[in-house]
């Protein structure tokens, strides 16, 4: 336990140092040595000022940074949770039941090879620009990752564990719920983490094409008027928010997996 804590602390320290070095190098080539002009690459100080202003100003895209972030989170988490509700059970039952696998796999194999962003135009045509079109695109991206990892987790269940359960008279449902699913939890939560990253990335890309509010929309509008400082602010917020959400999923996964092992 002590070694694990020391390893985590070391990782945090190294991460902070690397980020600081990156910011210093950025400052050096802008404000420091003036290798790049501010209209080509904004300095960290300018981006920081823009970050502060964008919390209260709606210019030039009609909303504050918090409003854009809230719009993006609403759509991303909505599509993500629907993808989890459908993708995880679907992956589990595809792996557990050969008939379901044979029925669903041909369609799923076709869907999973198409990038999530490619569905944007289709969804916009079907339901128009708005919450639903982006949520459906995110749902597809999230569901694919969750199905694949849930499927793999169930398939990796050790046969000897299933044999032991059968020896003690466990039913097929008990084998699934008490042996296979607990064994697959690490893979399932990995799928949740991967799907979250896919959802967040797909959302921003979808907002670049079909949105009236959100971080992707903010970036697109800023790019059109050559406000690279706002573009960088959007990128930083996307990165930080994605990291926080991913850390939350991993933390929940650690507690759930540990609890399942103790039972």
């Amino acid at each position: 336990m002590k070694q694990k804590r020391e390893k985590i602390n070391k990782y945090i320290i190294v991460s902070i140092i690397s980020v600081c070095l990156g910011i210093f190098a950025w400052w050096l080539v802008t404000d420091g040595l003036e290798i790049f002009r501010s209209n080509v690459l904004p300095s960290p100080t300018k981006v920081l000022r823009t970050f502060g202003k964008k919390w209260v100003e709606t210019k030039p895209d009609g909303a504050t940074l918090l409003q854009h972030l809230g719009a993006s989170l609403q759509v991303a988490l909505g599509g993500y949770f629907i993808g989890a509700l459908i993708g995880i059970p679907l992956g589990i039952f595809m792996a557990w039941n050969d008939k379901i696998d044979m029925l669903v796999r041909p369609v799923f194999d076709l869907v999973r090879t198409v990038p999530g962003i490619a569905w944007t135009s289709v969804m916009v045509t079907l339901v128009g620009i708005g919450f639903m079109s982006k949520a459906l695109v995110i749902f597809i991206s999230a569901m694919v990752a969750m199905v694949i990892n849930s499927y793999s987790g169930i398939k990796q269940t050790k046969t000897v564990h299933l044999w032991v359960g059968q020896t003690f008279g466990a039913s097929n449902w008990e084998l699934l719920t008490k042996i296979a699913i607990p064994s697959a939890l690490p893979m399932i939560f990995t799928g949740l983490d991967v799907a979250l990253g896919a959802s967040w990335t797909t959302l921003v890309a979808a907002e670049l094409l079909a949105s009236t509010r959100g971080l992707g929309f903010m970036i697109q509008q800023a790019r059109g008027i050559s406000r690279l400082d706002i573009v960088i602010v959007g990128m930083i917020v996307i990165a930080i928010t994605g990291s926080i959400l991913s850390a939350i999923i991993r933390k929940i996964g650690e507690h759930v997996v540990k609890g399942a092992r103790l039972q």
Side-chain angles (χ1 to χ4, degrees):
M1 189 69 180
K2 184 179 178 181
Q3 290 181 339
K4 183 179 180 181
R5 190 180 296 109
E6 289 177 350
K7 186 177 180 181
I8 293 173
N9 291 337
K10 183 178 179 180
Y11 173 77
I12 292 172
I13 293 171
V14 172
S15 299
I16 292 173
I17 292 173
S18 64
V19 170
C20 290
L21 288 174
I23 294 174
F24 175 74
W26 177 12
W27 173 86
L28 195 63
V29 299
T30 52
D31 285 344
L33 300 177
E34 297 183 350
I35 296 175
F36 294 101
R37 298 192 304 272
S38 61
N39 62 332
V40 176
L41 179 62
S43 66
T45 52
K46 183 176 181 180
V47 171
L48 185 60
R49 286 195 299 268
T50 301
F51 180 82
K53 290 179 180 178
K54 200 69 183 104
W55 280 102
V56 294
E57 292 184 359
T58 60
K59 298 177 182 179
D61 42 61
T64 64
L65 183 59
L66 188 59
Q67 289 171 333
H68 284 305
L69 177 59
S72 293
L73 282 174
Q74 183 182 13
V75 178
L77 295 180
Y80 174 78
F81 285 123
I82 296 173
L85 288 174
I86 296 176
I88 292 175
L90 182 60
I92 289 172
F93 287 112
M94 282 175 63
W96 192 252
N97 189 296
D98 291 337
K99 292 181 180 179
I100 296 176
D101 192 18
M102 287 188 293
L103 180 66
V104 177
R105 178 177 281 278
V107 178
F108 177 75
D109 283 343
L110 290 174
V111 171
R112 74 185 182 92
T113 57
V114 180
I117 189 61
W119 293 94
T120 304
S121 299
V122 176
M123 296 307 173
V124 169
T125 303
L126 293 176
V127 298
I129 295 176
F131 174 87
M132 186 58 67
S133 60
K134 296 191 292 291
L136 288 173
V137 171
I138 292 165
F139 157 73
I140 294 172
S141 296
M143 184 194 67
V144 168
M146 294 181 191
V147 168
I148 292 174
N149 281 271
S150 300
Y151 184 96
S152 300
I154 296 297
K155 284 295 187 181
Q156 290 176 13
T157 303
K158 292 183 179 179
T159 307
V160 66
H161 292 168
L162 297 175
W163 287 346
V164 172
Q166 290 171 339
T167 301
F168 283 93
S171 64
N172 190 55
W173 179 251
E174 288 174 329
L175 291 174
L176 174 61
T177 56
K178 295 184 178 181
I179 297 176
I181 292 178
S183 298
L185 281 177
M187 284 294 294
I188 290 173
F189 272 95
T190 298
L192 286 169
D193 192 11
V194 172
L196 183 62
S199 300
W200 197 234
T201 304
T202 302
L203 167 71
V204 174
E207 286 178 339
L208 290 172
L209 301 176
S211 183
T212 57
R213 182 167 290 190
L215 294 173
F217 174 77
M218 183 185 79
I219 290 172
Q220 175 72 355
Q221 295 298 304
R223 186 190 65 82
I225 59 174
S226 300
R227 285 291 304 275
L228 191 57
D229 53 330
I230 297 179
V231 172
I232 295 175
V233 166
M235 292 169 61
I236 292 173
V237 172
I238 289 168
I240 293 174
T241 305
S243 298
I244 292 173
L245 292 174
S246 183
I248 291 172
I249 291 295
R250 287 196 296 268
K251 201 66 177 178
I252 294 173
E254 290 175 4
H255 287 290
V256 172
V257 172
K258 183 186 293 185
R261 287 173 177 171
L262 291 176
Q263 291 179 356

